[in-house]
Amino acid sequence: MIIKFKSCADLEYSCIGKYDVQGFLYSLLKGTDLSVYHNVRGFKFFNFSNIFPVADFKVGDVRSLIVSSPNDLFIQVLKDSLDGLDGFRLNKFYFTLVSVRFLRTRVGSCLITSTPIVLFEDNRVNRYYSFKSGPDFDFFFNRLLDNALKKFNAFTDDDFVLDGELFNSFSFKKEVAVKVSKKGNSFLIIGSLWNSLEFDLNQGNKGFYQFLFDVGLGEKNSLGFGMLNNKR
């Protein structure tokens, strides 16, 4: 789903953070069949893009946000809630709703990252995997595959096993540190961006890769990390 909206004030791009967007999406679920969705333990099975174009907000500028999920009900409930709004608030700032529409995009065999992929090296101490400490692509992609299979099998209540590697080839772009703020506290999340992630798409794995395309790679998808696009 793509949401288009206009700012009611001039403000810096950094004024709207990932927790602001996440909180806004959860607010749209209030009073619906998914009203306690944010309290569900485990995977949330949705993702969202950066607000784009990436630039400081000006009054009247049209911006966009993409929200994706393999859960059709989740997307439908969000759209139904948005259809009843003229405007909304992100953080303490007001925006006018321009349009909301569904996107029906199918996964291709070569992907790029829209937002950074995040993986914990040790989640007991909240240490993120960093390529700067010595790149270990085997560790990264094995951990990424394990996370992907856990999410897919939890969503489908299945026991799917991928035949082969998650990706046949890849092109690493860079590592990034994203500053996020919540309730006045700021911290950094380490992630990585990729120019290409290629794989062989076939009838046996199409559902799995479509799921990853919809939900994102790695951890913290519901905070807008690990979002994917087809490479064109």
Side-chain angles (χ1 to χ4, degrees):
M1 178 179 68
I2 184 167
I3 308 167
K4 292 185 178 293
F5 52 93
K6 293 180 181 180
S7 178
C8 296
D10 293 348
L11 60 142
E12 294 180 358
Y13 185 82
S14 60
C15 290
I16 309 299
K18 288 185 174 294
Y19 276 107
D20 298 320
V21 176
Q22 185 193 61
F24 164 62
L25 296 178
Y26 282 143
S27 74
L28 295 173
L29 303 179
K30 292 180 179 178
T32 73
D33 293 339
L34 300 179
S35 58
V36 296
Y37 198 78
H38 66 287
N39 291 326
V40 174
R41 293 181 63 86
F43 303 118
K44 300 297 193 296
F45 304 116
F46 73 90
N47 204 343
F48 56 87
S49 70
N50 293 323
I51 295 172
F52 62 94
V54 178
D56 289 345
F57 296 91
K58 300 295 182 182
V59 174
D61 283 354
V62 176
R63 299 299 169 92
S64 299
L65 174 75
I66 294 174
V67 184
S68 65
S69 175
N71 185 342
D72 291 339
L73 176 61
F74 178 84
I75 295 296
Q76 184 64 60
V77 167
L78 290 183
K79 187 176 185 302
D80 289 344
S81 294
L82 284 165
D83 285 342
L85 297 180
D86 293 323
F88 56 88
R89 195 177 73 175
L90 292 172
N91 196 339
K92 59 184 178 181
F93 305 101
Y94 288 92
F95 297 84
T96 302
L97 188 65
V98 174
S99 64
V100 185
R101 67 180 177 89
F102 292 126
L103 297 174
R104 298 294 184 187
T105 306
R106 298 302 176 189
V107 65
S109 59
C110 186
L111 303 173
I112 61 172
T113 49
S114 173
T115 61
I117 297 173
V118 173
L119 282 175
F120 280 114
E121 183 176 356
D122 188 341
N123 58 10
R124 294 170 298 181
V125 294
N126 281 339
R127 184 169 67 243
Y128 299 104
Y129 179 77
S130 171
F131 287 96
K132 291 184 178 179
S133 60
D136 187 341
F137 291 107
D138 285 339
F139 174 88
F140 179 83
F141 284 110
N142 286 336
R143 181 66 64 89
L144 197 62
L145 175 59
D146 181 63
N147 174 270
L149 289 172
K150 285 180 179 178
K151 280 189 294 195
F152 182 68
N153 288 326
F155 183 77
T156 60
D157 195 23
D158 202 350
D159 194 23
F160 176 80
V161 176
L162 184 67
D163 183 18
E165 302 289 338
L166 184 59
F167 298 111
N168 298 335
S169 64
F170 58 84
S171 173
F172 177 76
K173 185 176 183 180
K174 63 180 178 178
E175 181 170 291
V176 295
V178 180
K179 183 179 179 181
V180 296
S181 298
K182 183 179 183 181
K183 297 180 179 179
N185 297 316
S186 296
F187 51 96
L188 293 177
I189 294 179
I190 306 300
S192 55
L193 295 170
W194 300 77
N195 292 313
S196 66
L197 298 163
E198 298 185 49
F199 55 95
D200 294 325
L201 192 63
N202 57 54
Q203 200 61 37
N205 64 30
K206 188 174 183 180
F208 173 68
Y209 282 107
Q210 182 66 49
F211 170 83
L212 295 181
F213 187 69
D214 291 336
V215 80
L217 283 172
E219 300 175 84
K220 297 190 176 295
N221 302 139
S222 65
L223 198 56
F225 287 97
M227 195 172 197
L228 302 168
N229 283 324
N230 285 318
K231 186 171 184 177
R232 304 185 188 281

